[in-house]
Amino acid sequence: MAWSSLSQHFTNQNPIRPLSYSPSNKQQVTPESVPLTNEAKERRNLKILFQEANERCRTAPMEGVSFTLKDFNSALDNYDFNSEVGTKVKGTVFFTDARGALVDVTAKCLAYLPVHEACIHRIRHVQEAGVFPGLKTEFMIIDADEEDDRLILSLKDIQKTLAWERCKQLQAEDVVVKGKVFKGNKGGVVVLVEGLHGFVPFSQVSSKSTAEELYDKELPLKFVEVDEEQPKLVLSNRKAMADRRQQLDNGSVVTGIVQSLKPYGAFIDIGGINGLLHVSQISHDRVSDIASVLQPGDIIKVMIQSQSREKGHVSLSTKKLEPFPGDMIHNPKLVFEKAEEMAQMFRQRIAQAEAMARADMLRFQPESQSPLTLSSEGILGPLTSDLSTKGLDLSGILSSDD
């Protein structure tokens, strides 16, 4: 009873109230009350600007814009751009791939350069012709693709025009050029000269080779007819070879390439002219196997021994360039190093022998008889013009009295 009375006493005096939660018991946190960093403030401002701009674009896209789309189209119409076929325009390449290039020519539509119009030569990619993004150059309009609304450009047509002008200049200067044979027919061969297709009739080919034998070979040529309007480009190998032979002097040293080997000798290409190096003229020592001394493709030095302008034959010799007999077999490098020196000595010996023989024969020769001379083979006969005196050093020749 005492305990129950005591419990009732405290309960009546200080009644226990249950705890209750009120929002006022905790400090409220708002975005304004949290300090923001500079980066966060910047992001918040950008977000607000974006939201405002998005709202303007959605509700009033042309508000505050004085230059409308109609004004833009009108300005383009007033822009003086000539897009006629055959017109030259300046442009900037901004994209390339294997098929071609896109070019900005400051027109309303795009311009396209196909790969086959990028160069006068055949290429697989426009970059092989030096066409890269950023290239600024002149193009020619050759077509207009209305379906794709773009202009078709060409660099090849501009290069062709320049090539024709170049050929006219070379013809006026009577210059010898090289053309590569890539096709043939019954009448002649077709060659590539300055990027253009030229025709060489068989009557103007110095050799009796067929079109198959001449395929993929380079021929020295001279221009016969250059007509851009036709178009017609005719060339002659025979005229070029005639000029080359006139420049060759008997006794002179030239560099050639071994073309082929035969049992009787080797054919040497000396600047487009085929000369024969007979087996007996390779060395003073006997050569039993030409292939042991020379191989096709070898670059060698030879001396012009004789030539027939009528028949087109040129005889060559390395035998007369040997410092010592057999050097062409055992030490050909020495032969080529001393080729000019040995040829000069040979010409001097021939000149001396010719002068001495001429002086001796004058004592016994009747006045009506033709003067005699000593040939390069040591044969005494009538004086001819086959042996050129150009470049001969006659200072060391003894007089007839001596």
Side-chain angles (χ1 to χ4, degrees), residues 258-269:
V258 179
Q259 294 294 310
S260 61
L261 303 180
K262 302 293 181 182
Y264 50 84
F267 284 97
I268 315 297
D269 179 10

Side-chain angles (χ1 to χ4, degrees), residues 18 29 31-32 39 53 114 173-174 176 185 252 269 276 280 298 304 320 329 356 358 388:
V29 179
E32 292 77 7
E39 186 178 352
E173 296 175 359
D174 200 28
V176 175
N185 53 41
S252 61
D269 179 10
L276 175 63
S280 63
D298 287 351
I304 307 296
K320 293 179 173 62
I329 300 173
M356 294 176 66
R358 191 181 304 162
S388 172

